[in-house]
C-alpha cells in the first residue's frame, strides 16, 4: 500500500467532511474521522497513521484519526504492532462477552453496546482502570434484521442504565445506516439516532450529560451523516481501497 495513495485518499475524506460541514453550517472540528481497519494488516494501518501524522505536521488542522476494528481477533493481531504510534482504538463490531478481556487490552472505547449484559460485563472488567471506558450504545435505526443494535425505543433506557454503571462513561450512540440508495431514507435513520441522543442528554439522568457523540456514516454516505449531526464518521475503503479477504 503506497504512502502517497493513502495520504491522498485520507485528504479527500477530510475534504469531504469539511465540505459537508460547510453545507450543514457546522464546524469541521466537530467531526472526527475513524478508520475502520477491518481486514487490513498492521503495515497498511501504519501507513494510514503515518499519512495522518504527516498531514497534521504540515498544518492540516485536523484531529488525529481514530482506529476501529470490527473483530476482536483482528484487533489483538494488529494493535501490538502499532503501539509506538499510540493510536486510539474503538471496537465497532459486536463484542461477545468471552472476548471482552482481550478487547480491553487494546480498546479505548466500545461503540457496540447493544444490551445490558455487555454493559455490565464491561463495567465489571474496567473498574480497576485509572480512567473510565467510553461506551456508545449501538442502535439499529433501520430495523433491518441483519444489523446489530438495540431498537430506538429501547435505546434510551439502555443508555441510562449503562451510564450509571461504575467504570463506564456514556460517550454517545452509534448506528449503521440503512442499506438504501434513497438518501432520504438514510438521513431519516440518522435523524432518528440524533433524536435518541437528544432525549437521553436532556433526561438529566446521571452520566448522560456528556453523551453527545453520534458515530454514524461510512465511506459511501458520510455527507448524509454529517448533515444529520455525526461527530464520528467511520471510513474504510475510502482510505484503504478495496478490502482483501478477511484474515
Amino acid at each position: 500500500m503506497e504512502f502517497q495513495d493513502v495520504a491522498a485518499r485520507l485528504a479527500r475524506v477530510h475534504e469531504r467532511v469539511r465540505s459537508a460541514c460547510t453545507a450543514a453550517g457546522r464546524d469541521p472540528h466537530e467531526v472526527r474521522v475513524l478508520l475502520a481497519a477491518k481486514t487490513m494488516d498492521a503495515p497498511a494501518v501504519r501507513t494510514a497513521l503515518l499519512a495522518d501524522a504527516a498531514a497534521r505536521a504540515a498544518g492540516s488542522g485536523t484531529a488525529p484519526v481514530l482506529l476501529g476494528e470490527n473483530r476482536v481477533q483482528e484487533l489483538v493481531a494488529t494493535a501490538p504492532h502499532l503501539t509506538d504510534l499510540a493510536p486510539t482504538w474503538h471496537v465497532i463490531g459486536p463484542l461477545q462477552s468471552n472476548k471482552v478481556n482481550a478487547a480491553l487490552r487494546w480498546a479505548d472505547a466500545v461503540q457496540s453496546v447493544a444490551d445490558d449484559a455487555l454493559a455490565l460485563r464491561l463495567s465489571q472488567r474496567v473498574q480497576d482502570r485509572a480512567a473510565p471506558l467510553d461506551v456508545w450504545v449501538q442502535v439499529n435505526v433501520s430495523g433491518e434484521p441483519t444489523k446489530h443494535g438495540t431498537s430506538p425505543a429501547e435505546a434510551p433506557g439502555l443508555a441510562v442504565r449503562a451510564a450509571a454503571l461504575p467504570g463506564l462513561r456514556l460517550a454517545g450512540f452509534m448506528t449503521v445506516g440503512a442499506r438504501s440508495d434513497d438518501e432520504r431514507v438514510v438521513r431519516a435513520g440518522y435523524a432518528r439516532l440524533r433524536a435518541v441522543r437528544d432525549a437521553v442528554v436532556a433526561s438529566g439522568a446521571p452520566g448522560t450529560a456528556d453523551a453527545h457523540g453520534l458515530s454514524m456514516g461510512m465511506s459511501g454516505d458520510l455527507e448524509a451523516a454529517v448533515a444529520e449531526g455525526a461527530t464520528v464518521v467511520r471510513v474504510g475503503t475510502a482510505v484503504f481501497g478495496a478490502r482483501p479477504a478477511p484474515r
Side-chain angles (χ1 to χ4, degrees):
M1 188 168 291
E2 296 295 329
F3 177 89
Q4 293 300 332
D5 292 340
V6 174
R9 290 175 188 150
L10 181 58
R12 284 196 290 272
V13 166
H14 281 300
E15 180 54 38
R16 287 175 63 188
V17 170
R18 280 192 291 269
S19 295
C21 285
T22 298
R26 298 183 59 195
D27 181 349
H29 293 98
E30 295 176 356
V31 184
R32 298 286 298 273
V33 171
L34 180 148
L35 301 183
K38 179 182 177 182
T39 76
M40 293 295 156
D41 59 17
V45 180
R46 175 177 289 274
T47 298
L49 289 174
L50 292 176
D52 175 60
R56 289 184 288 108
S60 68
T62 56
V65 294
L66 306 169
L67 290 182
E69 274 289 9
N70 289 68
R71 298 175 181 272
V72 174
Q73 57 265 41
E74 294 189 15
L75 173 64
V76 300
T78 304
H81 301 286
L82 302 172
T83 55
D84 58 307
L85 299 177
T88 299
W89 284 100
H90 288 217
V91 174
I92 57 174
L95 178 58
Q96 298 173 344
S97 292
N98 63 352
K99 294 183 178 178
V100 163
N101 288 348
L104 292 180
R105 283 200 289 270
W106 304 104
D108 301 284
V110 175
Q111 290 198 14
S112 49
V113 175
D115 55 52
D116 288 284
L118 178 57
L120 182 59
R121 180 78 167 178
L122 291 169
S123 173
Q124 292 169 340
R125 292 296 181 267
V126 301
Q127 291 183 36
D128 292 335
R129 283 192 171 196
L133 174 74
D134 280 356
V135 295
W136 305 58
V137 170
Q138 183 168 358
V139 186
N140 184 350
V141 295
S142 69
E144 295 168 88
T146 56
K147 287 189 166 62
H148 185 66
T150 190
S151 70
E154 297 292 332
L158 173 58
V160 168
R161 293 189 296 273
L165 290 172
L168 304 185
R169 187 184 81 93
L170 183 66
F173 299 81
M174 185 267 263
T175 196
V176 177
R179 190 179 182 86
S180 174
D181 293 328
D182 188 338
E183 184 178 333
R184 292 171 299 178
V185 172
V186 176
R187 285 191 59 165
Y190 292 151
R192 193 170 300 125
L193 188 71
R194 187 183 68 244
V196 169
R197 187 274 314 270
D198 291 349
V200 170
V201 171
S203 71
T208 62
D210 296 324
H212 295 287
L214 289 175
S215 176
M216 57 191 195
M218 297 187 286
S219 294
D221 65 356
L222 68 84
E223 286 84 1
V226 169
E228 295 297 340
T231 64
V232 174
V233 292
R234 309 183 305 276
V235 299
T237 55
V239 171
F240 293 115
R243 297 188 185 280
R247 301 197 299 277

